[in-house]
Amino acid sequence: MIPRAELDARLGGAARAWLDEALAEAAHTAERPVTGYGTAPWELRFASAGRHLGADAVDEARVLLLRTARVDAPTATRIYQQGTAAERRAVLLALPDLGLDAAAGVPLVEDALRANDTRLVAAAVGPYAAAHLDPHAWRHAVLKCLFTGVSVDAVASLRERAHGDAELARMLGDYAKERTAAARPVPDDLHRVLALTGAEES
Amino acid sequence: MRIFDPHIHMTSRTTDDYEAMYAAGVRAVVEPAFWLGQPRTSPASFFDYFDALLGWEPFRAAQYGIAHHCTIALNPKEANDPRCTPVLDDLPRYLVKDGVVAVGEIGYDSMTPAEDHALAVQLQLAAEHGLPAMVHTPHRDKLTGLRRTIDVVRESALATDRVLLDHLNETTVREAKDSGAWLGFSVYPDTKMDEDRMVAILDEYGPEKVLVNSAADWGKSDPLKTRKVADAMLKAGFDEDAVDLVLWRNPVAFYGLSGRLDLDPTAPEALHEGNSILRGGE
Ligand SMILES: [Zn+2]
């Protein structure tokens, strides 16, 4: 999460003012949740942030809105499920800050990991996934990154979780063999992760 | 040459098409929500479709260097099916999204009371959301349909110069132009318009507020028709500026009315070897 000052530096005056208003609305909702029908005003800001703030700042601004509104599990789930790819990405990036338990947050991560949209896959393998995915799901997430060309730099706690993981090493070795048999290059990231497992390359 | 196809259903097209379109000069597309050939039976399948227009499809397009936006609506055909009409109630949550640059395709198919209702409701939604509207004119009884469309637009809260009347031809262009709306022409193999007729219309009515599209979809259609019209224009003596006006600046101006057009396709890092589309079967 980048500091607000750094985010402001990427924005023009009008965009900064727009974000200020949006955050004030989010803070207001955090104190007095909207009940019944109707959408909280900050959610409209969340949806329209791209056209007001531009691509450089939109991920961070949306994460900030989610944190400021202190969204609960049902709200985070609804915003993810009804979101565009860009909005879903923001929910995934915000997960470590929202205090959602695994029952609420892991299904969102799993949904994103089923996607082939690399923006979603990259956002799904952050610190929340590192903390909450079980070994099987986490190994498949790493492999998914290799398959879809998402840099494993995106995988949080890669060093810690890969260390001593013999099953991950086996999966990587099998994948390398499959690539070699097809006369295709083995991604550099595969060697990197394999080294982190501590296994010898065969 | 830079080309903007303002009406193409990429969901029904292949990555080969994206590649060929890029090679032909296409750098931006708008994909209107329409019917899928097969009737849908519940609002939920519309929502999955809309989500794809705001998720997977722009991602696919970006991988080929093409900016993708969409228009969202309940189409005229399915506006007649009571199983689908509840979609109207959920449109507002889609119409606020970045990436939605108009309400559309709306308009008439068979000119029924249900279509009257859906058209009026959706023109009002466009006005409320600061969006222009992309209006399909009917294939059968076309001139009557056009007149009725213009009447409904005039009675609506949406200004006529924020409306694109699409699928026009020789029989409807005059009245459409006189209405003050933007003029859309779909160039299609066998049906609708062809390149030479398009050039003749441009000759007679001028290139102002004219948009040309391929309307390519799951039917017999050609996603390169925009380029073919550009070539036919040049061959007929139009200069490059006129081509750029029709094939780029006009669609940018019309969809730019939304304030949401972002023509810089930010392709995700993975472009070739690890391309998640190339690994589609994964
Ligand atoms: Zn169409």
Side-chain angles (χ1 to χ4, degrees):
Chain A
M1 194 62 225
I2 64 163
R4 176 70 204 274
E6 197 184 307
L7 181 55
D8 279 350
R10 296 184 202 168
L11 298 170
R16 270 204 297 276
W18 187 91
L19 181 58
D20 281 338
E21 287 167 32
L23 288 168
E25 287 168 5
H28 184 85
T29 299
E31 282 153 31
R32 263 163 298 176
V34 174
T35 52
Y37 293 101
T39 309
W42 79 268
E43 287 193 37
L44 295 176
R45 302 269 191 176
F46 179 83
S48 61
R51 56 189 180 268
H52 291 284
L53 304 179
D56 266 1
V58 68
D59 274 354
E60 288 82 359
R62 283 194 169 122
V63 170
L64 203 52
L65 281 168
L66 291 165
R67 285 172 19 151
T68 306
R70 281 187 249 138
V71 294
D72 58 14
T75 307
T77 301
R78 175 176 52 77
I79 289 177
Y80 179 90
Q81 288 176 344
Q82 298 188 347
T84 62
E87 293 167 46
R88 291 179 186 199
R89 181 176 158 84
V91 174
L92 295 166
L93 293 172
L95 279 180
D97 305 321
L98 298 180
L100 266 52
D101 62 23
V106 168
L108 305 185
V109 172
E110 289 173 340
D111 180 86
L113 287 172
R114 283 191 295 271
N116 264 19
D117 184 331
T118 50
R119 297 166 304 177
L120 293 176
V121 173
V125 290
Y128 191 88
H132 294 287
L133 284 188
D134 66 36
H136 179 82
W138 187 80
R139 290 175 194 131
H140 272 272
V142 173
L143 224 57
K144 177 99 184 197
C145 287
L146 297 175
F147 266 83
T148 56
V150 170
S151 165
V152 293
D153 290 337
V155 181
S157 307
L158 179 64
R159 179 175 301 274
E160 294 79 358
R161 283 205 66 161
H163 183 73
D165 189 337
E167 177 63 1
L168 178 62
R170 180 200 63 75
M171 291 163 77
L172 293 169
D174 285 356
Y175 180 39
K177 276 187 210 133
E178 196 185 323
R179 297 284 298 172
T180 307
R184 295 193 176 120
V186 176
D188 290 342
D189 269 3
L190 188 149
H191 300 295
R192 256 179 78 194
V193 182
L194 195 54
L196 291 175
T197 64
E200 299 284 317
E201 290 227 21
S202 56
Chain B
M1 186 186 296
R2 52 180 185 172
I3 294 173
F4 188 135
D5 193 333
H7 180 164
I8 184 164
H9 301 285
M10 291 311 300
T11 303
S12 306
R13 310 299 309 191
T14 65
T15 52
D16 283 358
D17 290 332
Y18 270 125
E19 222 161 56
M21 287 161 66
Y22 185 88
V26 177
R27 295 292 179 273
V29 296
V30 165
E31 174 156 9
F34 203 56
W35 80 299
L36 297 175
Q38 172 75 26
R40 282 166 284 208
T41 57
S42 78
S45 52
F46 281 83
F47 303 148
D48 291 336
Y49 172 61
F50 297 160
D51 289 343
L53 295 182
L54 291 161
W56 179 237
E57 204 54 46
F59 175 79
R60 274 197 343 139
Q63 302 243 321
Y64 292 88
I66 295 176
H68 179 289
H69 296 81
C70 69
T71 78
I72 294 287
L74 173 62
N75 64 77
K77 244 182 237 281
E78 288 173 295
N80 291 302
D81 188 333
R83 294 173 300 182
C84 302
T85 46
V87 168
L88 291 171
D89 302 330
D90 273 71
L91 288 179
R93 72 178 167 89
Y94 284 98
L95 298 182
V96 300
K97 304 290 193 193
D98 292 329
V100 176
V101 291
V103 171
E105 298 178 46
I106 52 177
Y108 285 116
D109 180 50
S110 306
M111 290 184 269
T112 62
E115 291 173 26
D116 283 328
H117 175 71
L119 176 56
V121 165
Q122 294 184 99
L123 287 169
Q124 178 66 31
L125 284 173
E128 286 169 8
H129 288 85
L131 289 171
M134 198 274 213
V135 183
H136 155 111
T137 56
H139 303 301
R140 301 177 303 278
D141 201 6
K142 206 167 185 65
L143 186 57
T144 310
L146 177 87
R147 288 174 180 158
R148 188 146 148 194
T149 302
I150 292 172
D151 285 344
V152 175
V153 168
R154 287 217 178 97
E155 285 164 22
S156 79
L158 192 67
T160 308
D161 61 4
R162 293 175 69 83
V163 169
L164 169 63
L165 297 170
D166 208 349
H167 309 319
L168 298 175
N169 62 20
E170 292 85 352
T171 66
T172 51
V173 56
R174 176 83 265 160
E175 291 188 32
K177 188 175 171 74
D178 289 346
S179 77
W182 295 76
L183 312 172
F185 295 87
S186 300
V187 182
Y188 222 63
D190 306 337
T191 60
K192 302 182 177 129
M193 294 290 296
D194 67 32
E195 294 91 310
D196 295 332
R197 286 165 56 206
M198 189 63 237
V199 169
I201 284 183
L202 285 163
D203 243 336
E204 187 170 350
Y205 297 90
E208 288 76 29
K209 294 182 93 169
V210 170
L211 284 71
V212 171
N213 62 73
S214 71
D217 55 14
W218 34 256
K220 185 172 188 301
S221 49
D222 176 359
L224 304 183
K225 279 293 188 196
T226 46
R227 174 59 192 254
K228 288 170 185 167
V229 168
D231 291 341
M233 283 177 73
L234 291 171
K235 204 169 144 216
F238 283 92
D239 62 13
E240 286 184 9
D241 187 69
V243 171
D244 190 64
L245 180 65
V246 173
L247 275 310
W248 186 266
R249 299 199 309 273
N250 283 345
V252 168
F254 175 70
Y255 288 116
L257 293 170
S258 68
R260 306 185 197 178
L261 210 51
D262 177 6
L263 293 174
D264 180 27
T266 37
E269 312 87 72
L271 260 172
H272 26 80
E273 183 52 35
N275 184 312
S276 66
I277 293 173
L278 296 180
R279 305 278 177 73
E282 173 254 334

